[in-house]
Amino acid sequence: MIPGARDVLLVIDVQVDFLPGGALAVPDGDAVVAPANRLLGLFPHAVLTQDWHPPGHVSFATSHPGRAPFDTVPLAYGPQVLWPEHCVQGSAGAALAPGLAADRAELVIRKGHHPGVDSYSAFLEADRRTPTGLAGYLGERGFTRVVLCGLATDYCVAWSARDARAAGFEALVVADAVRGIDRDGSLAQAWTEMAAAGVGRITSQRIVGPGFHGEGHTAP
Ligand code: VGL
Ligand code: ZN
């Protein structure tokens, strides 16, 4: 594919806390930075997300006495996985990865800022009712296709990709530019659910600049 005017790159949660050494490190998470940077150079339009929780957020295990990280608790809006404290608003861990070529991004959407509601998705919070505003923004900008990369495949990337489809966008996940947490088989399940929702899968080598006419082929 050659990214065009109706395509937007959505870079999910490439933040210090999700990289090796971070509070909620995704295995091999730093491997997404190089392909994400290449894509940021190829797409005419890009939006980033930042997981952005207030202290004491409901998704933190420390907010639930007697519970441990990676437990699941029932909340009013459904089951919630509990996480180590991560991406606290304004903290060093919440910053975008220092190596991310974020300057060309046109919007940074922060999510998970309501104290009692988590938001894996860049579009719709975990109560499945509260929009972030991203669908309206992308629609008003005239985008029709969302291409996703970042962290984590099985949580914020998968939920965002499925919600992009639900909001009427085409959605493609760049398989080599994402990494997963893989808790209890969540990674395989996420790919299955994304496929069922009509989310496509592409590799970053198939995304090229406008001057590209295909290796070994002659330009028409
Ligand atoms: C994420 C768990 C908790 C993610 C964010 O970015 O995938 N996962 N908060
Ligand atoms: Zn979070």
Side-chain angles (χ1 to χ4, degrees):
M1 78 170 282
I2 298 173
R6 292 179 165 274
D7 296 321
V8 62
L9 179 69
L10 185 55
V11 182
I12 302 289
D13 295 3
V14 182
Q15 290 168 268
V16 171
D17 270 345
F18 296 124
L19 302 186
L24 179 40
V26 178
D28 203 25
D30 49 347
V32 307
V33 175
N37 285 347
R38 179 173 167 273
L39 296 172
L40 282 160
L42 290 175
F43 277 75
H45 305 288
V47 169
L48 314 180
T49 68
Q50 255 179 319
D51 211 37
W52 199 251
H53 302 307
H57 189 251
V58 72
S59 75
F60 297 166
T62 48
S63 304
H64 303 263
R67 297 292 186 159
F70 310 104
D71 284 353
T72 302
V73 293
L75 296 183
Y77 57 74
Q80 171 70 50
V81 180
L82 300 180
W83 304 104
E85 293 185 13
H86 65 280
C87 297
V88 174
Q89 296 172 354
S91 67
L96 294 168
L100 188 69
D103 289 353
R104 284 195 46 255
E106 295 162 11
L107 175 74
V108 179
I109 190 136
R110 289 169 165 176
K111 59 182 181 60
H113 50 77
H114 289 120
V117 187
D118 203 3
S119 191
Y120 298 145
S121 166
F123 292 90
L124 207 55
E125 300 194 18
D127 61 3
R128 311 312 290 149
R129 305 162 55 95
T130 307
T132 64
L134 183 59
Y137 172 87
L138 297 181
E140 276 199 62
R141 294 288 312 275
F143 299 124
T144 57
R145 182 162 59 176
V146 179
V147 178
L148 299 98
C149 64
L151 303 168
T153 317
D154 36 353
Y155 289 93
C156 293
V157 174
W159 283 80
S160 297
R162 291 168 59 191
D163 283 351
R165 293 287 302 137
F169 301 98
E170 288 179 63
L172 283 173
V173 171
V174 186
D176 56 308
V178 294
R179 289 295 184 281
I181 294 172
D182 204 10
R183 172 187 158 275
D184 295 339
S186 56
L187 190 53
Q189 187 184 341
W191 282 113
T192 302
E193 289 173 355
M194 286 193 283
V199 175
R201 180 175 169 150
I202 192 171
T203 55
S204 63
Q205 64 173 22
R206 291 187 50 215
I207 304 176
V208 295
F212 188 87
H213 298 294
E215 276 173 71
H217 296 279
T218 317

